[in-house]
Amino acid sequence: MLECFFPDMYISSTYKIDFQKLYDSGYRGIIFDIDNTLVCHGAPADDRSIRLIESLKSMGYGILLLSNNKEPRVKMFNDAVHVQYIFKAGKPAKAGYQRAMTMLGTDKDNTLFVGDQLFTDVWGARNAGIYSLLVQPINKKEEIQIVLKRYLEKIVLFFYRQKCKKEGKPYLID
């Protein structure tokens, strides 16, 4: 039952993902959450996130930011990275993910999603049939509604860890 929340891969940081390997496997589009995935919650794009996005674009990836935030927040981040974006995306509803793939010119078989939350990011990506990469949040200090969700996420991750162990897969890639 909880498997609808399980990521395809759990990685300690967005910045440790082997995007070249994924590109070589046929992925061409990446949909990113912003807050606590690329930068701390509410922060503007920093040098590290700008370098990552530029590197991914030069690899040949199409990039789109998918956020439940309002446009000023998303636009502020995007002004530094210059990719496509969707604000007030309504995650986990799959409509935002589908719209993102249409904008990128990709489909569920060659699109990745990277985010830090199970109940919005991963669940939505899985509902849309997209390969999902869960990353640990950059900053542990979060808004109260997210802190409460993190307690429930710990339960899901407990069962995800058991499944990984049973299948002989790594639980958390560092």
Side-chain angles (χ1 to χ4, degrees):
M1 178 184 144
L2 294 176
E3 289 195 2
C4 66
F5 302 113
F6 290 177
D8 291 296
M9 190 181 299
Y10 185 25
I11 302 175
S12 62
S13 169
T14 299
Y15 300 96
K16 293 189 177 182
I17 297 171
D18 188 344
F19 287 106
Q20 183 63 57
K21 183 177 180 182
L22 291 164
Y23 188 87
D24 294 344
S25 297
Y27 290 99
R28 295 298 179 261
I30 305 173
I31 303 169
F32 279 107
D33 176 51
I34 301 170
D35 289 327
N36 258 343
T37 298
L38 291 166
V39 292
C40 291
H41 186 80
D46 58 12
D47 289 341
R48 181 170 72 158
S49 61
I50 293 168
R51 281 192 311 272
L52 175 65
I53 299 291
E54 289 305 315
S55 167
L56 295 172
K57 287 195 262 186
S58 69
M59 252 184 243
Y61 278 110
I63 310 291
L64 186 136
L65 307 171
L66 186 70
S67 176
N68 284 345
N69 279 304
K70 295 178 182 172
E71 187 172 25
R73 162 60 185 134
V74 180
K75 185 179 181 318
M76 176 200 35
F77 183 89
N78 192 55
D79 283 346
V81 297
H82 310 289
V83 296
Q84 299 181 82
Y85 65 87
I86 299 172
F87 62 95
K88 292 174 87 175
K91 294 183 290 184
K94 59 181 178 175
Y97 296 84
Q98 292 168 329
R99 182 173 167 220
M101 288 185 285
T102 299
M103 290 170 68
L104 287 169
T106 60
D107 60 40
K108 63 183 178 65
D109 296 322
N110 63 2
T111 305
L112 305 167
F113 183 86
V114 181
D116 70 298
Q117 292 188 49
L118 288 175
F119 301 125
T120 51
D121 299 331
V122 170
W123 189 23
R126 288 187 55 95
N127 281 338
I130 300 171
Y131 192 84
S132 62
L133 294 97
L134 176 69
V135 296
Q136 292 183 319
I138 291 172
N139 188 343
K140 303 295 182 206
K141 187 175 182 182
E142 299 176 295
E143 297 172 339
I144 187 66
Q145 72 271 15
I146 296 172
V147 170
L148 296 173
K149 282 196 277 185
R150 296 286 185 207
Y151 286 108
L152 296 173
E153 285 185 351
K154 287 179 184 179
I155 296 167
V156 174
L157 290 172
F158 170 81
F159 289 103
Y160 173 68
R161 180 189 305 247
Q162 286 188 321
K163 179 181 184 255
C164 289
K165 189 175 183 178
K166 183 178 177 183
E167 295 175 357
K169 289 178 22 178
Y171 163 68
L172 175 65
I173 299 166
D174 189 29

